[in-house]
Amino acid sequence: MDENNQMSDKNKKDWVKPTITPLRSGLLNKFGKSQNVGWVEDIDGIPITGLIEKYKSPLFVVSEKRLRSNFQRINRAFTSRYPHVLFGWSYKTNYLGAVCNVLHQEGAWAEVVSEFEYHKARSLGVPGHCILFNGPFKNRTILEQAVKEDAHIHVDHLDELFALEEIAQAANKKVDITIRLNFDTGYTEPWSRFGFNVESGQAMDVAWRIHSSENLNLTGLHSHIGTFVLEPKAYSNQVRIMCGFMDEIERRTGSIIKYIDIGGGFASLNALQSIYLPPEQVVPSIEQYAEAVCDTLLELTHEREARGVQRPVLVLETGRAIVDDAEVLISSVFANKRLPDGRRAVVMDAGVNLLFTSFWYNHSATPTRFLSGKPEETVLYGPLCMNIDVMRNSVMLPPLDVGDALVFGSVGAYNNTQWMQFIEYRPNVVMVQKDKIVSVIRKAECLEDVTSLESMPETLKIPFPNGEPDNLLSKHT
Amino acid sequence: MSVFNVTVAITGVNAKPDNPGPGLAVARCLRESPEFNGRIVGLGYDALDPGLYLKKYCDAGYLLPYPSTGDEAFLSAIRKIHEQEKIDVLLPCLDAELPGMVRLRPLIEEMGIKVFLPTPEQLRMRNKDQLTEIAKLAGIECPEIKTITHAGFFYKCQEEGWSFPMVVKGLFYDARFVHNADEGAEAFRHIAAEWGLPVLVQRVVKGEEYNLTAVGDGEGNMLGEVMMRKMAVTDKGKAWSGVSIIDHALYEASAKLIKAIKWRGPLEFEVMRDQHGHYQLIEINPRFPAWIYLCVGVGRNLPMALLKLALNEPVGDFREPEAGVLFIRHAEDNIIPIAEFEHVIMQGGHHLQ
Amino acid sequence: MVDSEQTGVTSSSIPSAESLRRLAISESGFVFDPTSGHHFTVNETGLVLLRHLQQNQDLSSILNAVTQEYNVSHRDLERDVLEFLSLLREFVGEQ
C-alpha cells in the first residue's frame, strides 16, 4: 500500500487487477449476480480502520444498540399481542457475559442447557428462580443445585424425572416442573430426540406420573419445533397442539399449567446456503411470527378466564433473531490467489475456526472502502491449513488488496459459542456501547491461555534431553 | 376498439425446447393482437435466451439479475432498463420471480411501471406445500403432499405410509417420478441443489392431465379461461402438443378457487382426471403457461386481457371458446450476429433494429 | 522492490503472439477465439495486457511499459500479470 502511494502519479491511471471471465452456457449473464458492491466504513459510528488498528484483525464487534433494539422490537411484537410474555435468553446462542447482561438488563431471564451454562448464569448474578433449565444432560449435582435454587427445570426424559423426584424428596420439597414435548407440526421435522412424544401418549403418561408424585408438580409445557423455521404457521400449529395438550392435562389430572414455552427457532435475515431465494424474500418478519403465535394462543385460552384460571405465561427462548445481526466479524485479506478454474480467491485471516456458521450460511461480506474494479466471482478462504476452511464459496467482489478488510454480517448467533481454538488464537471481541465507547468484552487469546491447563509430567519437561539433534538439513548437499 | 400503444416488459423469454419459458408466447400473443401496437422489451436471465434477439417478438432485450440475488439488485436493474425503455407495464412470467415482485410491487409502481399481480398472501396460498388447503377451497381433491428436508425420507417412507412410485418436486420448478429410494434420494439432491429446501414429495395420481389458464380480476371473477389436454410431452413432461377442450368440472373448480381467494393476475391450474372422472389438483402456477399462445387459437387473447387489467382498462367480453383447436410446438434456429451477442454480454442488453 | 528483470517468467509460459493475434478482440473487452470457438471477456487492464502480448512477448518490457502508464507497484503488477497469463493459457489453446 505504501509502495503504491510513494509511486502514485497523477498523470498515471489507476491499476485494476486484470481479469478474464469465461462465458459458460447456462451462466451467460455477468449481470446475473449483484453488481453493486457497497461498503461500510464504521460500526455505530466507530471507524473500522481505527478498530483494526487498536484491536487487530480479525475482530468481532457487537453493537449494544442493535442488541437492545432487536430485543425491544421482538418484545414489543409479542407483548403488544399477548398479556403475559417472558423471554429466556438462550445462552448457547451467545454466552459472552456482556451480551447476556445486556439482555438481562432488558428483562430477559437465562435459558441454559448445561452445567456450564447454569454456572455462567449464576456467576453473572442471575438468581436461580430466573433460570430456565433445558437440555437432555443435567448431572445430579447441578440438578440438586437447580432444585435448591428454585430454577425452572424442563424435564427431558424419565430418568431425569426420577432423579428429580428423589432430590425433591430428600429436600422435602414440592418442586414445580415443566416437561418438554415433541410432536409433528406438519411443517418441520419433529425433533423427537428431545422430550416426550405427544401423539404416542407418552407425554400424557408422564403427566399422570407427575400427578401421582408427592414431590413434583407439573406447571409448565415446553417444546421447540426446529431452527430457522421459515413458516409462521408452524408456530400456530405448535401452539394449537400444546394448548390442546394443556387442556387435556388440566381436565384429566387437575394440574394447572402456568406457562407454555415455545422455544425459539425464528429465522434471522441470514442467507441459508440451502435456500434459493434471498433472505429478505423468505424470512418472515418477527411481527408475523408473533401474530401466528399470539393469535392462536389468545383464541385457545380465552375461555380460561371464564373458568377463573389465568392465561398461561408465554415463554420464548428466541436467540438467533435477537443477536445474529447485532454482531459482525471484521477480517482482512492476507493473500490473493487465482485458482486453476479461473476463479479469484483470497486468503482471509479468519476462517471456520471463528465463523462456524459459514458452514451453512452465506454470510454477507462487505468491503470497508470503495473498491474500484469490476466485481468478480471470488472464493474467500480462511487461514486454516484445511480444505474445508471456506468462508464463502462464491461471492461477487471487486479485486481486493492485501490488507483490505471485509465485514462478515450477522455472526452473533452460535459463533462465539461454537468457535474453536484450532491452530489459531481466538481474537478480541469488542462491544460498541453508548457514547461511542468501545469495550473489550473478551480479550484475544495468547499462548498462556491455551496452555495454562496443561501440565507436564516430570520426565517430559525437555524436548531434547540429550542435546539438540544434528541439523541434518544443513549438512545435506 | 382502442389500440394500446404502450411499452410492455416481459420476463421468461428463455426457450430451451424441452422446457421453454412462457415469455415469448406471451409476447407473441400481444404482437399479434390488433389491439396492441406498442413495444415489447424481453427480459432474460441468460445471454442465450432467444427473446433477447428475436425482432419478431421483442423490440429490445435485457438481462436481469437472478431472483436469488436479492431485491436491491433486481430493483436497480429494472430502474436502469426503465430509464432506457420507459416501461409502462411489466408482465413477469416465471415462478421464482413472483415472491420478490409481489413484495416489491409498491416500489415498482412508484417508478411508474404498472403490474397486475397477486397479493403476497394469495401467492403464498398457492405455494406447492399449501396445496391441500387450496384444493379444499376449490372443492376438489388433491394428492397428499409432504415437505421433506432430508433424502433419508425415501429410505423410511414406507413406515409413514408412502410408497413408490412418487413425485419429487422443487418449490419453484422441476418434478421427477421416482420408483425407489435411490432414485428418490438422487432426485432430492438434484432438486435441492438447484431450487433449495424444502423439497416436496407428492403421491402419484393416475389419469390424464388437463390444464386451464385464465386471468383472475382480483374481484373474484375468472376471465377468459382456456382449457387444454396435453397430447404429447417433452422429456420434462412439458406440453409439446395439445388440444383445446371445454370441461365443466374443471371450469367449476377453477372458478370456485379464484372466487374464494380473489386471485389477481394470470394463473395455470393443473389437474389429473382418473378413469372415473375424478379430478385431483396437481398444482397451481401464478403465471401463464408456455402453451399460452393456444388462447389466440381459440379466440381469447389472455395476455391482452392481462395488459388491459394492468392499465386499468375494461377487458371487454370474450368470445365463446372453441374446443378441438390443436397446437404443435416446434423449435427453430435463429441466426444471430456475434455483435448482438456481444452487446448482450457486455452491456446487458440492446435495442433490436 | 522487485525489479522486473528478476521476474523469472520465461516466454514459454506466454501463448504465442501468433495465437494471440488471431483473437477477435473488441474494444468492449469481448474476445472471440475463431479457432476454438470460445468466448471470454477481459476488463480494461486485461485488454491492455492482451494488446501488449499480441505485439510483444518480452515480459519485462511489458511490465515496464505498464508501469509507465499505471500507478502500480512492480510487485503487485508481477503477481497480477502472472495470474493473468495462467488464465490466458486456459482460454487460448496453442495450435
Side-chain angles (χ1 to χ4, degrees), chain B residues 297-317:
Chain B
V298 304
R300 310 182 128 190
N301 195 323
L302 284 170
M304 201 55 224
L306 179 64
L307 179 64
K308 290 179 196 164
L309 284 168
L311 292 167
N312 206 14
E313 295 285 338
V315 173
D317 292 331

Side-chain angles (χ1 to χ4, degrees), chain A residues 23-34 36 184 186-187 189 231 233 274-278 280-281 374, chain B residues 45-48 63-71 76 100 103 130 133 149 172 194-197 345-346 348:
Chain A
L23 301 171
R24 297 191 188 98
S25 170
L27 295 164
L28 284 180
N29 182 357
K30 59 191 188 117
F31 305 89
K33 296 181 177 177
S34 184
N36 304 326
D184 188 0
Y187 287 95
E189 306 263 324
E231 177 52 76
K233 269 197 197 164
S274 60
I275 291 181
Y276 178 78
L277 289 176
E280 65 266 26
Q281 292 185 17
K374 281 211 179 102
Chain B
Y45 291 95
D46 189 292
L48 291 181
L63 288 171
L64 285 180
Y66 301 116
S68 59
T69 321
D71 294 352
S76 82
R103 279 182 57 261
Q130 314 267 332
E133 285 156 54
T149 51
F172 297 111
E194 185 151 10
W195 297 108
L197 295 176
I345 291 279
M346 301 307 292

Side-chain angles (χ1 to χ4, degrees), chain A residues 43-44 59-71 74 89 93-94 96 99 102-103 268-270 319-329 363 407-413 415-416 429-433 441:
Chain A
I43 293 163
D44 286 359
L59 176 69
F60 281 99
V61 185
V62 183
S63 159
E64 180 178 351
K65 193 169 104 190
R66 189 60 177 261
L67 198 52
R68 286 188 191 270
S69 69
N70 282 355
F71 182 88
I74 294 176
W89 171 242
T93 313
N94 190 325
L96 290 173
V99 170
V102 166
L103 296 163
S268 63
L269 274 180
N270 223 329
R320 174 179 289 114
I322 290 175
V323 77
D324 216 11
D325 68 0
E327 184 171 352
V328 298
L329 171 63
H363 285 286
V407 175
F408 290 89
S410 292
V411 308
N415 284 304
N416 296 136
V429 183
V430 298
M431 182 182 273
V432 180
Q433 299 192 274
I441 59 169

Side-chain angles (χ1 to χ4, degrees), chain A residues 440-453:
Chain A
V440 175
I441 59 169
R442 190 181 193 275
K443 75 172 189 210
E445 288 167 344
C446 62
L447 184 63
E448 161 84 314
D449 297 320
V450 180
T451 57
S452 62
L453 296 174

Side-chain angles (χ1 to χ4, degrees), chain A residues 97-170:
Chain A
V99 170
C100 294
N101 274 354
V102 166
L103 296 163
H104 293 321
Q105 286 182 1
E106 290 292 331
W109 289 15
E111 185 260 320
V112 305
V113 294
S114 68
E115 179 181 34
F116 159 74
E117 287 193 350
Y118 192 95
H119 287 160
K120 181 128 196 193
R122 293 289 293 119
S123 77
L124 289 172
V126 178
H129 65 82
C130 291
I131 296 179
L132 305 166
F133 196 4
N134 276 323
F137 181 64
K138 313 178 186 86
N139 68 46
R140 181 79 176 210
T141 321
I142 199 67
L143 262 188
E144 281 170 1
Q145 187 183 343
V147 168
K148 191 168 149 220
E149 296 176 344
D150 296 323
H152 304 272
I153 300 165
H154 294 193
V155 180
D156 185 68
H157 40 71
L158 280 174
D159 286 316
E160 186 179 337
L161 186 76
F162 299 146
L164 269 173
E165 192 167 40
E166 284 167 22
I167 294 167
Q169 211 163 23

